[in-house]
């Protein structure tokens, strides 16, 4: 249970948040930068527990990757780290930052 200030967040609440990660296929409908930022933000919530973080990566992150994006991470295997997945996605799809982010 996370309790910053007066807010109480349960593990169930955190998993619900992870389930809301938007899918990524490598197409232009959702850019890689946004996907990576969203996943990094959610995974930060699980930084205290490595086992839960790994579960979230496998159950909530990898399952949101589909299409061509899934084809490029599949060779990494089933127990890939987020860092390896992220690097492979960047290598294949690049990160397009807008002028606003620079």
């Amino acid at each position: 249970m996370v309790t910053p200030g007066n807010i109480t967040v349960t593990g169930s609440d955190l998993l619900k948040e992870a389930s809301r990660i938007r899918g990524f296929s490598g197409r232009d409908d959702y850019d890689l930068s946004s996907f990576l930022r969203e996943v990094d933000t959610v995974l930060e919530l699980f930084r205290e527990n490595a086992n839960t973080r790994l579960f979230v990566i496998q159950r909530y992150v990898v399952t949101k990757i589909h299409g061509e994006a899934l084809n490029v991470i599949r060779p990494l295997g089933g127990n890939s780290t987020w860092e390896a997945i992220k690097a492979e996605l960047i290598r294949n799809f690049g990160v397009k930052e807008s002028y606003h982010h620079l």
Side-chain angles (χ1 to χ4, degrees):
M1 183 180 303
V2 179
T3 57
N6 295 331
I7 300 171
T8 300
V9 181
T10 66
S12 177
D13 292 332
L14 295 176
L15 292 175
K16 283 180 189 172
E17 192 61 33
S19 73
R20 292 185 181 110
I21 294 171
R22 189 170 166 191
F24 179 75
S25 67
R27 300 177 141 207
D28 290 335
D29 56 336
Y30 186 51
D31 67 281
L32 180 59
S33 297
S34 297
F35 178 74
L36 297 178
R37 226 178 350 269
E38 184 177 14
V39 172
D40 284 338
T41 298
V42 168
L43 289 180
E44 183 63 24
L45 300 171
F46 298 94
R47 73 179 177 278
E48 299 296 322
N49 188 321
N51 289 331
T52 304
R53 179 182 162 93
L54 182 60
F55 173 77
V56 169
I57 291 167
Q58 296 305 315
R59 177 64 179 91
Y60 294 98
V61 176
V62 172
T63 60
K64 297 293 185 163
I65 300 172
H66 46 88
E68 184 60 30
L70 180 59
N71 291 338
V72 302
I73 68 159
R74 191 171 279 138
L76 297 175
N79 292 323
S80 303
T81 65
W82 169 237
E83 290 71 24
I85 294 168
K86 185 176 179 178
E88 194 64 19
L89 290 172
I90 290 169
R91 190 173 75 74
N92 284 273
F93 299 102
V95 174
K96 298 174 185 140
E97 293 291 342
S98 68
Y99 181 74
H100 183 288
H101 288 98
L102 298 175

